[in-house]
Amino acid sequence: NAGVTQTPKFQVLKTGQSMTLQCAQDMNHEYMSWYRQDPGMGLRLIHYSVGAGITDQGEVPNGYNVSRSTTEDFPLRLLSAAPSQTSVYFCASTDRDREDGYTFGSGTRLTVV
Amino acid sequence: GESVGLHLPTLSVQEGDNSIINCAYSNSASDYFIWYKQESGKGPQFIIDIRSNMDKRQGQRVTVLLNKTVKHLSLQIAATQPGDSAVYFCAENSQGYKLSFGAGTTVTVRA
């Protein structure tokens, strides 16, 4: 089924470790973005991309890096994990006309100990 | 900064009744609004959207109303069912393709 695929679904990291959260979409969407969701809160934008080779910062970008080498993939890198980065991470994509909103992946639940 | 917020964090509804979930936004430049449903352990699921040039839009059992004068958005769910129990978020789209979310309203349907 077409959609947004996120891997892994769960991850536990030690403080200081690095890792990459993967996001892939097969809908040929130009726009992709990463959000984090903390308990009892809405989603907050980390980084977004309006096309291959173009990325920009969102509301909470510190501690995260992104790149967009292809239309399909938009990985999120944690450079040196901190307990404050414990959260659920969602990737989303949409087309140029934002038809039917943004499609979200099922999320990656990250715990940093 | 400007943000989107929901009026009530929780809403309890009798099965079969209509539900109304409210949302206030503050960015007058927002041109696109979306309602999402999120069930436990899942990602946000698109319900319905509305653009700023519209006042009302209807879907299957759902209606979104937009009042730009008072910067208010609402989601109406007709004949609420147990499967409607979830957290509902409104989101506004401004500054290109950035989405800003409210904190969410937890809807509980009573049998």
Side-chain angles (χ1 to χ4, degrees), chain B residues 76-102:
Chain B
Q76 301 176 3
I77 305 173
T80 310
Q81 302 170 359
D84 295 327
S85 292
V87 180
Y88 290 81
F89 294 96
C90 65
E92 65 175 315
N93 200 160
S94 61
Q95 301 178 38
Y97 290 83
K98 297 181 182 179
L99 274 183
S100 296
F101 284 81

Side-chain angles (χ1 to χ4, degrees), chain A residues 5-73:
Chain A
T5 302
Q6 291 185 238
T7 56
K9 293 190 182 300
F10 301 94
Q11 183 71 49
V12 178
L13 289 179
K14 294 182 179 179
T15 297
Q17 286 185 317
S18 62
M19 80 159 295
T20 299
L21 280 63
Q22 301 292 342
C23 175
Q25 53 89 10
D26 57 2
M27 298 171 284
N28 201 31
H29 284 172
E30 295 97 333
Y31 305 97
M32 298 185 73
S33 50
W34 277 101
Y35 296 82
R36 61 176 287 173
Q37 184 175 32
D38 299 309
M41 296 179 66
L43 284 73
R44 292 183 292 169
L45 181 64
I46 304 171
H47 285 286
Y48 66 100
S49 169
V50 298
I54 306 170
T55 64
D56 206 346
Q57 296 181 351
E59 182 184 355
V60 288
N62 293 339
Y64 308 95
N65 272 358
V66 291
S67 60
R68 184 97 180 268
S69 56
T70 67
T71 300
E72 295 78 20
D73 300 298

Side-chain angles (χ1 to χ4, degrees), chain B residues 29-108:
Chain B
S30 293
D31 64 346
Y32 182 51
F33 304 87
I34 310 168
W35 279 101
Y36 285 98
K37 172 186 180 183
Q38 188 176 28
E39 296 173 293
S40 181
K42 297 184 179 181
Q45 176 186 358
F46 172 87
I47 301 173
I48 193 168
D49 59 0
I50 188 167
R51 299 187 187 271
S52 58
N53 61 352
M54 301 173 68
D55 297 323
K56 178 180 179 179
R57 193 172 188 207
Q58 290 183 291
Q60 185 177 9
R61 282 203 306 121
V62 294
T63 300
V64 56
L65 299 177
L66 175 63
N67 186 330
K68 295 180 286 295
T69 301
V70 295
K71 297 189 182 70
H72 184 268
L73 192 69
S74 69
L75 177 69
Q76 301 176 3
I77 305 173
T80 310
Q81 302 170 359
D84 295 327
S85 292
V87 180
Y88 290 81
F89 294 96
C90 65
E92 65 175 315
N93 200 160
S94 61
Q95 301 178 38
Y97 290 83
K98 297 181 182 179
L99 274 183
S100 296
F101 284 81
T105 293
T106 300
V107 173
T108 302

